């Protein structure tokens, strides 16, 4: 895994240098995003040798807005996986920069999406549902901050009278609770 993270780190540096243009063909970029997702799996282990490289990868993706290339390539399933990974792998001993970069990436993706997928919304709301007791409080906090940031967009999608798919059942209540807590 350390070798894979090192390779991804090098690719990210190349991507940063060539930004805003992607240095590889579309199919290659999709494979690179898969490798990036695999590298993020190491983020929960602060003590590993590759942790610093993974946080550097995260920082570069946030700064050069590389995550938006996933939207251009219509990697919707991968975007959902990254959201789930971010929320699942976050730990209280991560640096503030890690929290900030994850929030930046998730907000960029949501803000730049023409249509926010139901799977993406479901992964966010799944963290915040009261019935979900297995979620670390830090994941709940990050999810809450993302929902608060994108409240305006959610208003367009989730009008109180709108019938949502069963996948998002209860999302109105969660969103209202999160937004009320944020404004309190």
């Amino acid at each position: 895994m350390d070798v894979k993270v090192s390779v991804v780190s090098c690719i990210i540096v190349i991507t940063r240098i060539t930004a805003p243009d992607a240095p590889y063909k579309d199919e290659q970029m999709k494979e690179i995003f898969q490798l990036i997702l695999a590298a993020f799996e190491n983020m929960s282990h602060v003590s590993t040798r590759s942790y610093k490289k993974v946080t550097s990868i995260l920082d570069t993706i946030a700064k050069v807005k590389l995550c938006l290339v996933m939207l251009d390539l219509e990697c919707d399933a991968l975007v959902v996986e990254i959201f789930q990974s971010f929320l699942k792998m976050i730990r209280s001993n991560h640096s503030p920069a890690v929290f900030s970069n994850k929030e930046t990436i998730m907000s960029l993706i949501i803000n730049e999406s023409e249509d926010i997928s139901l799977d993406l919304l479901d992964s966010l709301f799944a963290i915040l549902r009261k019935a979900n007791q297995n979620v670390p409080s830090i994941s709940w906090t990050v999810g809450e901050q993302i929902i608060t940031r994108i409240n305006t967009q959610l208003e367009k999608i989730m009008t109180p009278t709108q019938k949502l798919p069963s996948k998002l059942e209860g999302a109105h209540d969660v969103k209202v609770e999160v937004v009320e807590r944020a404004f309190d």
Side-chain angles (χ1 to χ4, degrees), residues 76 79-80 83-84 87 109-110 113 115-129 143 146-147 150-151 153-158 162 164-165 167-171 174-175:
D76 297 335
V79 168
V80 171
F83 267 65
Q84 291 169 341
L87 294 169
I109 288 171
I110 291 172
S113 293
D115 294 318
I116 301 173
S117 77
L118 293 178
D119 291 333
L120 184 60
L121 287 175
D122 184 49
S123 64
L124 270 174
F125 285 114
I127 292 292
L128 300 172
R129 287 191 180 101
I146 294 298
I147 295 292
I150 64 168
N151 184 45
Q153 287 171 287
L154 290 176
E155 290 295 323
K156 295 175 192 171
I157 299 168
M158 302 172 63
Q162 180 182 1
L164 292 173
K167 182 180 272 193
L168 293 178
E169 190 174 299
V174 172
K175 184 185 82 69

